[in-house]
Amino acid sequence: MPEREKAAKEAANALMKELGGELQAAMEEGGPTEAVKVCTQKAPRITARLSRERGWQVTRVSNDFRNPLLGMPDPWEQEVLNELESRAAEGESLKGMGYGEVVDEPEGKFYRYMQAIPTQEMCVACHGPEDQLDPTVRESLEERYPHDRATGFQPGDLRGAFSIKQPVEE
C-alpha cells in the first residue's frame, strides 16, 4: 500500500499548496473578506479539478464544517477526524499527520486517506473566536454560510482534513 499512500499524500499536498497559495494571495490583496471568496468560489473548483485529474475524490472535511454540502464528513471520515484529534491531544504534531486504509463500502473497495489540516495564524481571521472576527468578515460568513460551525479555532488546532478516496481494482 505504500504507493497508494504516497499518491494520496501527493494529492493532499497539491490541494494544500494550491489552496494555501490562493488564500495567502487573497489575504494580501484584500484581507479576510477576499479569503472567504476563495473558500466559497475557488476551493470547490480546485478540489473538483484535482478529483477529475486523478480519478479520485479529493476534498476537505471537518467536524466543524462551514458548508454542510461540501464539508460534512461521512462516518469513516468522522472516525478518522476523531482519531487525528486524539493523536494531537497526545502530543503528536498535526503537520503531516495522516491515516489511510482500504475500506469495503457498498459501492466497492476504496483506499481512503486523510491528512490533518492544522489551523494557521492567517486562518483565525475567518475561523477564530466569533467575538474576535472583524464585523465585515462575520457578516460575509453569515451571508454565505448560514449553518457555519467553523469558528472558535486557535492556531495549532485541528481545523479538519484533506480526504482522498481512491477506487481499488479487484
Side-chain angles (χ1 to χ4, degrees), residues 25 67 76 117 144 156 165-166:
N67 180 345
W76 183 86
I117 302 173
R144 288 177 169 81
K165 185 175 180 179
Q166 305 172 11

Side-chain angles (χ1 to χ4, degrees), residues 2 14 25 39 42 60 67-68 79 94 109 112 138 147 155 157:
C39 288
K42 291 186 179 181
R60 301 172 299 155
N67 180 345
E79 190 175 305
L94 289 173
K109 190 177 279 196
R112 303 210 53 190
R138 204 168 34 243
H147 305 287
D157 289 348

Side-chain angles (χ1 to χ4, degrees), residues 126-146:
C126 299
H127 292 285
E130 272 191 61
D131 62 345
Q132 295 175 21
L133 298 179
D134 181 279
T136 58
V137 171
R138 204 168 34 243
E139 185 178 301
S140 180
L141 293 172
E142 288 169 0
E143 179 183 307
R144 288 177 169 81
Y145 303 107

Side-chain angles (χ1 to χ4, degrees), residues 1-16 50 54 56-59 76 96-101 110-116 161-167:
M1 210 50 60
E3 64 279 347
R4 283 195 183 276
E5 184 174 334
K6 181 178 181 219
K9 284 181 180 183
E10 287 172 359
N13 289 332
L15 176 54
M16 178 175 52
L50 287 171
R54 295 171 189 268
W56 311 331
Q57 180 182 343
V58 179
T59 191
W76 183 86
M97 183 190 295
Y99 176 80
E101 70 176 328
F110 297 90
Y111 177 73
R112 303 210 53 190
Y113 177 80
M114 288 178 61
Q115 184 169 305
F162 299 113
S163 181
I164 313 297
K165 185 175 180 179
Q166 305 172 11

Side-chain angles (χ1 to χ4, degrees), residues 81-92 158:
L81 283 165
N82 293 338
E83 176 64 27
L84 296 175
E85 189 73 53
S86 293
R87 288 167 55 188
E90 292 172 8
E92 187 176 340
L158 177 66

